[in-house]
Amino acid sequence: MTDHEHDHDHDDDHDHDHDHPSVLLRLHGTLMVVAWLFFNSLGNTVARYFKTTWTTRRYFGVPVWNFYHRIYMMASWILTCAAIVCIFVDVQGFEAHAHSIVGLATFALVFIQPILGLMRPSQQPAQSAIRILHTLLGHAAYILAVTNMFLGIGLEPAHISSVMYGLLAGAVGIHVLAHVAFNVLEYLTRRKGGELDVNKDASFSRWRKTTLMVQMIALYAFTIANVVFVWRG
């Protein structure tokens, strides 16, 4: 084989390598999908709708809803941080484009969320302000993260099938439908009336638990499907 042919084959191999996303790039996508489509969505749900459920039980000294919220959100936080590390190692720096900029904005919000969640100022107005800020930033982070996933699908280096647009939309749809269902249950609870007993679950708690289980199963299925397309391209 001549030197020219050898160089040509080497260039072909090099081009072939660039035709496929790196393992780190795929890990980045996988970790983000699991973090936001599954864990963050569930963490948001239990914090928003389950404060009057499992009222007679506590895990490690905290209400059950708070325990699950912390577990889900910490998983989301850890996976997001790991995904950021993967992509920075893969690209060896920062490349300014829509996906990377939105990603950094999302990461900034994610990073401060645990700090806000653990802050317990002595004054009630300050507690309320921090709680509202924590909630608003949490929703903003979810919206940015999901938006960035749609942006990521269209990136040429990712080589992801356009089918994933539909799968991602399906996962977001499950998230939205779950919120609609829980709000309906909240409306029915208020309509039923009656004084709230702190030692007893609020009305329709069984329906809330069932809806949560359906949401969890559906999100799990869509998360797995999205991960498959991250790796198959």
Side-chain angles (χ1 to χ4, degrees), residues 10 15 19-20 24 50 54 56 70 76 81 83 87 90 107 127 146 158 172 175 180 187 195 203 211 221 225-226 232:
H10 178 75
D15 292 339
D19 286 341
H20 299 280
L24 285 174
F50 283 82
W54 304 303
T56 60
R70 291 180 181 182
S76 178
C81 290
I87 198 62
D90 185 61
F107 178 68
Q127 290 183 16
V146 170
V172 175
H175 179 82
V180 171
Y187 168 76
E195 187 175 347
S203 302
T211 304
N226 276 280
R232 69 176 290 183

Side-chain angles (χ1 to χ4, degrees), residues 109-203:
L109 295 180
V110 169
F111 192 81
I112 65 174
Q113 278 295 84
I115 300 173
L116 292 175
L118 294 174
M119 290 179 67
R120 294 291 185 272
S122 57
Q123 297 181 342
Q124 183 61 39
Q127 290 183 16
S128 299
I130 289 176
R131 184 166 57 250
I132 292 172
L133 181 62
H134 181 65
T135 301
L136 291 177
L137 292 184
H139 288 308
Y142 178 83
I143 292 171
L144 286 176
V146 170
T147 300
N148 215 27
M149 288 184 202
F150 280 103
L151 292 174
I153 294 172
L155 291 177
E156 184 177 348
H159 291 281
I160 296 177
S161 169
S162 59
V163 173
M164 191 172 168
Y165 283 116
L167 293 173
L168 184 55
V172 175
I174 293 298
H175 179 82
V176 173
L177 287 175
H179 278 274
V180 171
F182 284 120
N183 275 285
V184 169
L185 291 173
E186 278 199 339
Y187 168 76
L188 294 175
T189 300
R190 290 194 300 269
R191 185 177 179 182
K192 187 175 181 179
E195 187 175 347
L196 182 63
D197 185 352
V198 295
N199 296 316
K200 184 180 179 182
D201 286 358
S203 302

Side-chain angles (χ1 to χ4, degrees), residues 34-52:
V34 176
W36 291 94
L37 296 189
F38 188 74
F39 286 115
N40 193 275
S41 182
L42 292 176
N44 183 293
T45 295
V46 294
R48 172 67 179 82
Y49 303 106
F50 283 82
K51 292 178 181 177
T52 57

Side-chain angles (χ1 to χ4, degrees), residues 38 42 45 50 174-175 177-178 181-182 206-222:
F38 188 74
L42 292 176
T45 295
F50 283 82
I174 293 298
H175 179 82
L177 287 175
F182 284 120
R206 181 174 296 181
W207 281 100
R208 280 195 296 276
K209 294 173 185 177
T210 302
T211 304
L212 177 63
M213 184 60 64
V214 172
Q215 179 191 11
M216 185 179 295
I217 294 172
L219 287 177
Y220 181 80
F222 272 101

Side-chain angles (χ1 to χ4, degrees), residues 22-25 27-29 31-32 77-93 103-104 107 111:
S22 67
V23 172
L24 285 174
L25 185 61
L27 277 176
H28 170 77
L31 294 172
M32 286 299 195
W77 189 88
I78 292 172
L79 292 176
T80 299
C81 290
I84 292 295
V85 171
C86 285
I87 198 62
F88 267 92
V89 172
D90 185 61
V91 301
Q92 298 180 345
L104 281 183
F107 178 68
F111 192 81

